[in-house]
Amino acid sequence: MTSNASRTAVIDSAALQRLIQEGRGPRLLDVRTPGEFRTVHIPGACNVPMAVLREHRTELLSHLDENVVLVCRSGSRASQAQASFAEAGLPNLRVLDGGMIAWESAGAPVDRGSERWDMERQVRLVAGSIVLTTGLAGLLVPGVHLIGTAVGAGLVYAAVSNSCAMGVLLSKTPYNRGPRTDIRTVVKALRDKP
């Protein structure tokens, strides 16, 4: 199925789960950070964070066909990954509609690790803390509240552009990074999966 709004090919959780149960499951590439992936992921998914994907997409292309579903938290990063692969010559990859949020809501199977805050929650904490702190400091120091205004403007831009600079910065912190994703390990995992 294709979303008319974004022209991104999507597959919903029920259809993907049915394919997996029938033994016709596509390869699953999870483009979230290693920290997010370790917290919860679809069994059999391969973690290829966006930074690794962007840097090594041509290497990955030779190990992929069009039977791939891209996964992230909500579908946004997976749609960006789909666009990146389409630019590189693999246009028909699908995105899990609603991402891991929809997958878990459907009661589909997951592998769980240690609990971590997802990226959206981290962005809300950092942005909210900056706005609260600068708002209170602005009572004592004139003009400091404008920092909170700038953060608010950044959040509006993030919503309109469907990208988030703060999320990109937070993904580079040790909390989210975890062990570096090695492209050789990813390629080996892709070769080993049918």
Side-chain angles (χ1 to χ4, degrees):
M1 87 178 40
T2 301
S3 167
N4 290 334
S6 64
R7 302 276 190 246
T8 299
V10 297
I11 184 170
D12 64 26
S13 296
L16 179 57
Q17 193 170 2
R18 198 169 34 256
L19 287 173
I20 292 170
Q21 289 170 344
E22 293 170 356
R24 299 183 301 128
R27 288 187 176 180
L28 303 172
L29 295 187
D30 192 318
V31 299
R32 296 174 299 153
T33 66
E36 291 174 294
F37 183 80
R38 280 194 314 271
T39 299
V40 63
H41 61 271
I42 299 171
C46 185
N47 186 218
V48 184
M50 285 297 290
V52 172
L53 186 147
R54 285 186 187 114
E55 184 178 340
H56 298 284
R57 83 178 169 189
T58 53
E59 292 170 66
L60 295 169
L61 280 176
S62 63
H63 302 285
L64 298 174
D65 56 24
E66 293 183 349
N67 193 23
V68 172
V69 172
L70 300 162
V71 179
C72 68
R73 180 180 180 278
S74 64
S76 177
R77 285 177 278 176
S79 293
Q80 293 170 17
Q82 192 275 343
S84 180
F85 277 123
E87 288 173 11
L90 195 56
N92 297 321
L93 303 185
R94 293 171 289 174
V95 169
L96 177 60
D97 193 24
M100 287 301 297
I101 294 171
W103 183 261
E104 287 187 275
S105 293
V110 295
D111 285 341
R112 288 197 184 279
S114 60
E115 189 63 35
R116 293 174 111 52
W117 283 17
D118 62 50
M119 192 58 63
E120 183 178 315
R121 187 175 182 190
Q122 292 176 53
V123 168
R124 289 192 311 249
L125 173 69
V126 172
S129 297
I130 292 170
V131 170
L132 176 63
T133 302
T134 59
L136 293 174
L139 297 173
L140 302 173
V141 181
V144 172
H145 71 283
L146 295 175
I147 295 170
T149 303
V151 170
L155 292 173
V156 169
Y157 176 78
V160 171
S161 68
N162 201 22
S163 65
C164 183
M166 188 179 292
V168 170
L169 291 174
L170 286 171
S171 73
K172 297 180 186 314
T173 64
Y175 179 80
N176 290 307
R177 231 182 13 230
R180 179 154 162 72
T181 303
D182 178 46
I183 189 63
R184 290 177 298 226
T185 305
V186 171
V187 167
K188 182 181 179 332
L190 291 173
R191 274 192 209 134
D192 293 346
K193 290 191 188 239

